[in-house]
Amino acid sequence: MRVLVTGGAGFIGSHVVDELLGGGADVRVVDNLVAHAGVPDYLDPAVDLMVADLAAPGVAEEAVTGVDAVCHQAAKVGLGVDFGDVGGYVTDNDLGTARLLEALWRRSFTGRLVLASSMVVYGEGRYRCAEHGDVRPGPRTEVDLAAGRFDPVCPAEGCAERASWATIDETAPVDPRNVYAATKLHQEHLCALWAREAGTTAVALRYHNVYGPRMPRDTPYAGVASIFRSALAGGRAPEVYEDGGQTRDFVHVTDVARANVLALTAPVHAAFLACNIASGSPHTVGDLARALAGAGRANLEPVVTGKWRLGDVRHIVASPARAADTIGFVAEVDFAVGMAEFAHAVQRS
């Protein structure tokens, strides 16, 4: 099998490449290397590398020639700095995906497409009120955040009870609350439409908080695990926003790579399938900071700052059941083991 991996020189993409090559696949990578100082030394020289921008005219047509399956990882990631990043997100994520799907359509491609999506499409996670059951809190306000009221409350009229989180599954309503999230949802919609009209299958893997070796360092576009790891590597204590009680599911990148390969080959009898890719073991952001600080070489206690970002969500915890049932994915890397490794892993410049 010959597989195209877009963004295959990146953090997750390169691990997908390793997993595919280890299974005997031929791999073509298209990556613009904008986030790299040349070809990274961890990228296996066995790949057929195209250094090009997927959104540029003609690139996607060349990239899809002769491939049997596509693993679409290329994207601008993270919350970003502010709304001024919107053009870059739309170009890299929406236009890049459109170019890819257009090229597949013109080739009459009917192989499997796997899309790197994200849990950010949900917005806030699932919540329950003791009196009103499942509820969907609205976006958090600057007034509440500035006052330290970080946890959503039940939105039912006359009820001000704090809502507790529950696991969210793929049937939950989507509610993107930042530019990155909006582009990831649009990617899902485009891939679903293409798959239905092409008579094939697209699988969207909604990654939860991925961490591990090769994460970029010292960038506002990195995930919180990378930001904390960068701080520790620079001799600085991790700065924990809000009160550190934000709940997430941290999943190791090698598990995510394995999920991609399973999604490329599992029998899926639908035009479109979305799956949470998560460990199934939630932890708080404070837990993350303490685990990394405790496993690191420097004796640096995390600092809880009370700072906040309006585009952040409070709790988002996945149900991994559908991924297990449909593509056979169950995470294997334990949180403590993975964080102990990550505390000493090489980060990407």
Side-chain angles (χ1 to χ4, degrees), residues 114-118 203-207 256 259-260 263 273-275 277 327:
V114 174
L115 169 69
S117 188
S118 172
V203 180
L205 302 182
R206 292 175 177 170
Y207 301 159
V256 174
N260 273 271
L273 174 71
C275 291
I277 301 300
I327 64 172

Side-chain angles (χ1 to χ4, degrees), residues 139-296:
R140 299 186 295 172
T141 67
E142 292 190 35
V143 171
D144 282 342
L145 293 170
R149 294 188 292 268
F150 301 123
D151 281 296
V153 297
C154 176
E157 186 175 355
C159 184
E161 290 297 315
R162 173 178 167 178
S164 59
W165 65 260
T167 56
I168 196 165
D169 67 22
E170 296 83 355
T171 65
V174 289
D175 183 18
R177 296 190 178 182
N178 56 61
V179 170
Y180 170 61
T183 62
K184 297 312 288 184
L185 182 57
H186 193 210
Q187 284 184 307
E188 285 196 14
H189 288 165
L190 290 173
C191 290
L193 290 168
W194 165 80
R196 185 181 68 192
E197 296 201 23
T200 187
T201 296
V203 180
L205 302 182
R206 292 175 177 170
Y207 301 159
H208 284 250
N209 287 68
V210 187
Y211 72 95
R214 305 176 192 167
M215 285 192 88
R217 67 169 185 252
D218 300 327
T219 167
Y221 301 95
V224 65
S226 180
I227 291 169
F228 287 171
R229 174 70 175 77
S230 296
L232 289 163
R236 305 183 306 276
E239 291 192 356
V240 180
Y241 277 25
E242 301 183 17
D243 59 1
Q246 311 93 305
T247 316
R248 300 289 189 269
D249 189 305
F250 299 97
V251 58
H252 197 272
V253 67
T254 57
D255 279 331
V256 174
R258 187 165 50 82
N260 273 271
V261 175
L262 289 168
L264 284 168
T265 56
V268 177
H269 305 292
F272 180 75
L273 174 71
C275 291
N276 288 326
I277 301 300
S279 72
S281 299
H283 291 81
T284 68
V285 172
D287 292 337
L288 167 69
R290 288 185 290 271
L292 286 175

